Amino acid sequence: MPDTFLLAGKPFTSRLIIGTGKYRSFAEMQAAHAASGAEMVTVAVNRVPLDRATESFLDHLSPEMQILPNTAGCYDVEHAVRTARLAREALDTDWIKLEVIGDPVTLLPDNEQTLQAARILVKEGFIVLPYFSDDLIMAKKLLDAGCPAVMPLAAPIGSGLGVQNPANLKIMREQLPDATIIVDAGVGVPSDAAIAMELGADAILMNTAIAEAGDSASMATAMNFAVQAGRLAYLSGRMPKRLYASASSPIAGAIN
Amino acid sequence: MNVILNGEKKEIPSGIDLESLLTHLSLPVKRVAIELNKEVVRRKDWESIKLSEADRIEVVHFVGGG
């Protein structure tokens, strides 16, 4: 049976969602997107420059990719809601990655304002995918508010530190067995992605780990493998951890 | 008359509508969205909405992001 990833009722084959920021060139971004196997990419809403002609960034994305606009750079409910509405009008999509940031140094989310914004946007018919701190209680509140998935961070955005609190992710998975959990932000290398998936994340959203890699396309391939490997491992069920050895070869019958 | 467009003070023809404003300033029209005084304006209404002095307009598009 194929292991389909259902997000807000929409089936995806890939459990990797990737960003479009920080790439050194459009060609590099396109190669990385193709190599990643991702079917959805994030984009940011930004003012049109008034002093020069601009080409549409979206023209550089494969038409097969689902576009997920974000509310990056918003520090309060009002800006996040306004940004989401603008994104919906421009792209004709109800999907929004909700970010309400609490502080410019850590870019850690303001969970309280994220929840408030989520409630408003859900009422307006948005499919709200909220980025938030890896906290079970906040996850429950966001799900209760009508978010079809929650997106806890692994570590600060762009930090590449990997899963800093595996226990939180594991608790979230165990306590919310039916929720869709997407780990968003903080993955640095494929092993980080694999760990998040092994802990039971349904998918991973990443940007910098691929965009800032020496060879983005090659790293995108590696991330694709890692997400698949971690997913398979989670479904397979890991062996128990033991403090002491457990022989793999029979002890009885060894010559002496 | 003067308006605030994308955070900048801008002199534009009096009574111009939103659709004409984009053309007048050579701004892109595809896959952009406009907000007038903090309310999104539906694309179908661009032509009929005339701007007034001191209006605050945001014209946005998409850029790379995570």
Side-chain angles (χ1 to χ4, degrees):
Chain A
M1 204 175 81
D3 177 34
T4 306
F5 169 46
L6 264 185
L7 180 54
K10 185 176 171 165
F12 291 88
T13 307
S14 171
R15 290 172 179 272
L16 179 56
I17 302 165
I18 59 177
T20 58
K22 298 183 182 172
Y23 285 94
R24 287 157 289 227
S25 69
F26 289 129
E28 198 172 26
M29 177 182 77
Q30 286 156 348
H33 284 182
S36 72
E39 295 154 298
M40 182 154 67
V41 291
T42 54
V43 295
V45 178
N46 213 268
R47 282 172 166 165
V48 170
L50 304 178
D51 56 346
R52 59 192 154 88
T54 47
E55 49 180 359
S56 174
F57 176 79
L58 301 178
D59 290 343
H60 297 283
L61 302 177
S62 160
E64 279 102 63
M65 286 284 190
Q66 172 158 349
I67 298 171
L68 175 63
N70 69 26
T71 63
C74 293
Y75 282 81
D76 57 49
V77 175
E78 185 201 323
H79 280 90
V81 168
R82 283 169 58 201
T83 301
R85 289 173 181 155
L86 283 164
R88 170 150 79 177
E89 175 62 20
L91 278 180
D92 205 21
T93 176
D94 292 329
W95 292 55
I96 191 79
K97 172 184 160 176
L98 176 62
E99 275 182 49
V100 185
I101 300 300
D103 154 65
V105 177
T106 61
L107 296 181
L108 287 171
D110 181 327
N111 285 338
E112 188 185 8
Q113 297 209 56
T114 301
L115 179 60
Q116 285 178 42
R119 286 182 174 139
I120 294 168
L121 292 170
V122 166
K123 275 203 189 93
E124 294 183 12
F126 281 90
I127 292 168
V128 180
L129 305 176
Y131 160 72
F132 72 117
S133 300
D134 51 348
D135 176 80
L136 172 67
I137 310 308
M138 188 51 59
K140 284 184 177 178
K141 290 181 181 181
L142 288 163
L143 292 166
D144 285 346
C147 298
V150 287
M151 304 210 295
L153 55 77
I157 294 172
S159 68
L161 288 171
V163 180
Q164 289 299 289
N165 201 331
N168 274 0
L169 279 184
K170 202 169 178 192
I171 288 170
M172 211 181 286
R173 175 74 294 159
E174 288 194 7
Q175 294 298 309
L176 302 170
D178 300 323
T180 301
I181 299 172
I182 301 169
V183 167
D184 177 12
V187 164
V189 285
S191 52
D192 299 332
I195 286 170
M197 294 302 290
E198 287 164 16
L199 290 167
D202 293 286
I204 313 254
L205 197 164
M206 68 176 76
N207 188 146
T208 310
I210 293 174
E212 275 189 6
D215 181 336
S216 294
S218 173
M219 186 59 87
T221 303
M223 290 296 188
N224 186 8
F225 288 151
V227 168
Q228 292 188 50
R231 173 66 182 173
L232 268 176
Y234 172 72
L235 293 176
S236 308
R238 64 152 299 147
M239 61 160 282
K241 285 186 183 179
R242 299 183 186 93
L243 193 53
Y244 298 102
S246 165
S248 301
S249 307
I251 296 156
I255 59 166
N256 54 23
Chain B
M1 67 177 184
N2 287 303
V3 294
I4 307 290
L5 174 60
N6 286 3
E8 289 176 34
K9 196 171 169 187
K10 204 93 188 163
E11 192 171 349
I12 58 165
S14 278
I16 193 170
D17 64 77
L18 282 173
E19 176 103 39
S20 308
L21 177 75
L22 295 188
T23 323
H24 176 74
L25 295 172
S26 307
L27 298 180
V29 292
K30 276 173 63 183
R31 298 202 276 195
V32 300
I34 304 179
E35 191 185 63
L36 175 59
N37 301 323
K38 299 189 177 182
E39 296 289 337
V40 172
V41 181
R42 304 299 308 270
R43 183 173 287 265
K44 62 178 172 54
D45 298 326
W46 285 2
E47 254 183 306
S48 58
I49 293 195
K50 308 268 189 278
L51 294 172
S52 308
E53 178 77 25
D55 272 343
R56 298 184 78 91
I57 308 139
E58 297 282 355
V59 181
V60 299
H61 65 164
F62 295 92
V63 297

